[in-house]
Amino acid sequence: MTQPRPEPAAKPAADARPRSNHYRELLWHTLARQILLYFLPLLLLAAFFHFQYRRLIGESQRAHLMVLAEQQANTLDLFLRERLVNLGNLANDPQFARNATSPQHLAAALANLRRTSEAFVDLGVVDGEGNLVAYEGPVRFAGPISYASEAWFKRIAAESDVSIITDVYLGLRGQPHFTIAVKRQTAAGSLIVRSALSPDALHQYLKSLEGAREVNTLVVNADGAFQLVTGRIDAPSASAAVLPPREPRRGTLDPTGGGSMDSWAYAWLRETPWALVVHEIPGSGATRALLGRQSWILVFTVAFFFGMGVVIVIRARQIVGKQIAAERHEQELSGQLAHAAKLASVGELAAGIAHEVNNPLAIIAEEVGLLKDMMDPALGGRISPPDLQEHLDIIQDAVFRCRDITRKLLTFVRKTDIKIEPHRVEKILDDVINGMLGSELLLGNVEIIKHYDDDPRTVMTDRNQLVQVFLNLVKNAFDAMPQGGVLTVETRHRDKDMVVVVRDTGCGMTAEQVKRAFLPFFTTKPPGKGTGLGLSVSASILKNFGGNIYVESAPGQGTQFTIELPYAMPD
Amino acid sequence: MRPTIKLLIVDDESRFLHAIAARLRLRGFEVITACSGAEALELADRHTFHVALVDLKMPGLDGGQVLQALKQRQPFVEAIILTGHGVLESAVEMSKVGAFACLPKPYELDLLLLTLKQAYVVRLKRRFAAHPEIVERVDAIACDDNVIDVLARLRELEDGSAGS
């Protein structure tokens, strides 16, 4: 025996929920799908370009800063070298060496220096032991001054013919300054000329450099202590937040980490172990232009997405509208199909019922004829009231028989609304077998065996439609057994559903026929006898009830239909 | 007493059977009834029938089967099939197995009598196919409109010609 699980023959009936709900659900579904389809890749692309753009901006910004830092470092180097050269020229001047201790001379020299740069604050001459031998400047010393313990003096004392630039320190005056010193060997011993330079001047100088407006500039020494600060970075403090690495000699810094828009660049000076660090003032210059462009891009992207959203919504509404229309059309078609099938099976039934009606009609005709005969003098013409009564009773019986048959036909044909009520399936089976086809089955020598489950549980279903299903199956079974046979009807109750089995001992079906059994318009009956709709409509009815129908058959071995019917209708 | 035409009527509807039998008896037929095909064939072993009226749809043997079995036992018997079904389909099918006619239920008695007459004429013509002069006389008698009278005369003709 083959055991196919046929595809549902007809589409399950459309959603019974209100159309607007169904419409909204469909719309959301379509929208979600479209957005996923179009928005997601676009969004990913936009995000990708956004980050790429930011990265590029950051890179170009850092490159720009690095160039700036290098330029400023070079300029600062140049400035410091000039000051050293100024001081060196002074030290090399034999006339100066000779009159080094003369205050007038020293004052004139300082004035000369200050003409080259405002940065020179004072001028001092130090001997080989570190004692300040002559001084010209704003400080009035109370006693003799020795630099012997100063770090810069120790460094300069160890060598000859050197120049030195100190870090910025508060020094004796309590004013931040740094010292440059030049040592020359003369006949009279070491001559060390030192001068304090004001960082303010340096500061002003740095601020006047090209591109300085876009950035904060700071100078840190090798230990990371601030030397000079311009702009709005935190006030000078002992140690800076940033200490650039010694190698490479120039580069970019990312003190906050993680690709923020805060960019730093540095370059080490050559003259002294200072690093010049530039920090772009956020929202200034080039960055602002680039960022501005980016915000425009953002606006355009949002506008584009909005436009696409509108298009998608309009399109989705169109699609859903079309789908709803198609569904409604399909629903109508399926309704028409079901009705056609019903009419067709009514037609088949009508043939059977005509026979049922004609028999009592024939009785009536004969009885009436007989009564007439009895009253006919030519034929004898004698009738007694009891006789008359008997014949009239027979006629009445026959008339009521006719009425019962037509009533059954009407129950079947009458267009009734679908009423989902609890029904005992066994009762419906009995009604179908006894009421509608009993006499026909009897005539065809079909024995009927019923194996009903005792379980009294009912099924929520529409009686008329279920009757149609059973009628189709029983009729098919009957048609498959023209020579008579056994029709077995079984019911079994299970947890969530019940099983109805309709089995015949008829001619059976080939595997090919079994495969196509539930297809609409497929029939094994001769042309004009069957419509081929019975099983397909039965399958679709059962699908609507959340049930299923299977067929097992083999040629000559009969056919078994198995129905699974849940106790409750699906939502 | 005039010889009568012997009819066999087979139908599972007993009330119909009784009524039709009573009416045909009133018209001078000898009627034997059977409620089923099996009973009919049993009767056919004991009686010779001229014409049989057989219902098509019956439990057990149906009209067609009864007719075939009957014809085997009595080759000259003519059968009229009575049916509540559509006539055309049954008629074609039944004529294949040798029914003379199919009569839809309910029918007018006159039509039944006419059909009986025709069936009987055919029976005589088949039985006396080797005697053209008898066939000629059958035709002559059959022209008359009074069915009961014609049948009685034909019946007499059959008895009278049986020896020849």
Side-chain angles (χ1 to χ4, degrees), chain A residues 313-394:
Chain A
V313 167
I314 291 173
R315 186 80 192 113
R317 287 175 72 96
Q318 278 176 351
I319 289 174
V320 169
K322 273 182 198 163
Q323 200 170 338
I324 292 273
E327 268 177 28
R328 206 179 312 150
H329 185 61
E330 200 174 335
Q331 215 170 323
E332 276 165 19
L333 279 185
S334 127
Q336 283 169 4
L337 185 72
H339 194 64
K342 192 171 174 182
L343 286 182
S345 49
V346 165
E348 287 168 33
L349 199 67
I353 284 192
H355 174 246
E356 298 298 307
V357 174
N358 279 337
N359 272 332
L361 281 182
I363 292 173
I364 294 168
E366 288 310 320
E367 289 293 333
V368 170
L370 190 57
L371 287 176
K372 276 184 179 168
D373 288 352
M374 286 170 160
M375 288 186 293
D376 188 349
L379 291 167
R382 54 198 156 69
I383 186 161
S384 61
D387 272 357
L388 186 63
Q389 186 66 42
E390 189 197 328
H391 291 292
L392 287 178
D393 283 346
I394 293 174

Side-chain angles (χ1 to χ4, degrees), chain B residues 25-154:
Chain B
R25 279 185 193 120
L26 280 175
R27 282 161 181 77
F29 292 93
E30 185 184 348
V31 181
I32 291 176
T33 62
C35 275
S36 70
E39 191 187 345
L41 295 181
E42 209 174 288
L43 288 170
D45 290 336
R46 288 183 273 132
H47 302 268
T48 305
F49 299 108
H50 299 117
V51 179
L53 297 178
V54 185
D55 187 30
L56 182 59
K57 283 243 165 185
M58 288 183 294
L61 297 174
D62 73 12
Q65 293 166 315
V66 172
L67 189 148
Q68 281 173 299
L70 199 61
K71 284 243 172 187
Q72 274 179 358
R73 288 167 170 79
Q74 305 181 11
F76 293 117
V77 75
E78 283 302 330
I80 297 168
I81 297 290
L82 301 178
T83 169
H85 269 289
V87 182
L88 200 66
E89 294 159 29
S90 316
V92 172
E93 226 167 283
M94 287 303 114
S95 65
K96 281 184 201 158
V97 290
F100 170 72
C102 260
L103 214 54
K105 285 187 192 175
Y107 46 81
E108 286 87 3
L109 186 72
D110 286 344
L111 182 62
L112 176 65
L113 292 176
L114 194 65
T115 313
L116 278 173
K117 184 190 91 173
Q118 289 166 346
Y120 193 65
V121 166
V122 168
R123 171 190 160 88
L124 291 188
K125 283 184 176 174
R126 279 206 298 134
R127 186 169 174 192
F128 300 112
H131 305 276
E133 72 285 357
I134 296 178
V135 173
E136 245 171 66
R137 281 176 61 198
V138 167
D139 279 338
I141 295 170
C143 283
D144 208 314
D145 280 345
N146 189 331
V147 175
I148 302 296
D149 189 43
V150 166
L151 281 170
R153 283 160 61 194
L154 286 175

Side-chain angles (χ1 to χ4, degrees), chain A residues 86-87 90 96 103-124 136-137 195:
Chain A
N86 292 150
L87 213 57
L90 191 64
F96 175 79
Q104 290 87 356
H105 211 87
L106 213 58
L110 179 61
N112 262 338
L113 284 177
R114 285 179 70 88
R115 263 198 293 280
T116 59
S117 173
E118 289 286 312
F120 288 106
V121 174
D122 59 5
L123 188 62
E136 178 60 39
S195 176

